[in-house]
Amino acid sequence: MKIAINLVMLACTLVPTAAAAGPSAEVARKCMHYSYVAYPYQRPGSVRMRGDRQAYFRSCMEKEGNIPAPETPSSSAQRQS
């Protein structure tokens, strides 16, 4: 009886399982684009960098790109950052 159980357990561990696929390159491009729309590039040294763009990108990737498109910030909001 113990041998049969051990064989079943061994067979279950040897059966290949489907690996969870990561986000596609298309999703990564979409998230990168959205992160630059939400937090546009600013010359280093002109403003303090906070990592908001990277946090936005990670959040988008975790949600597999299923987020609404960000609105473009106004030019006055960019200068205040």
Side-chain angles (χ1 to χ4, degrees):
M1 182 71 171
K2 289 182 181 181
I3 294 174
I5 293 173
N6 287 338
L7 286 175
V8 170
M9 295 292 284
L10 180 64
C12 289
T13 58
L14 294 178
V15 174
T17 58
S24 67
E26 183 178 330
V27 171
R29 276 189 231 107
K30 177 181 175 181
C31 290
M32 183 61 70
H33 173 73
Y34 281 1
S35 67
Y36 272 92
V37 169
Y39 300 98
Y41 176 79
Q42 295 176 343
R43 191 180 81 242
S46 65
V47 294
R48 186 171 177 211
M49 303 307 246
R50 296 177 296 216
D52 294 334
R53 185 183 307 134
Q54 185 177 12
Y56 186 91
F57 177 77
R58 285 183 182 169
S59 173
C60 180
M61 291 298 287
E62 288 172 0
K63 297 174 185 174
E64 296 182 7
N66 296 326
I67 59 171
E71 294 183 21
T72 305
S74 65
S75 60
S76 62
Q78 289 178 2
R79 287 186 222 138
Q80 292 175 356
S81 297

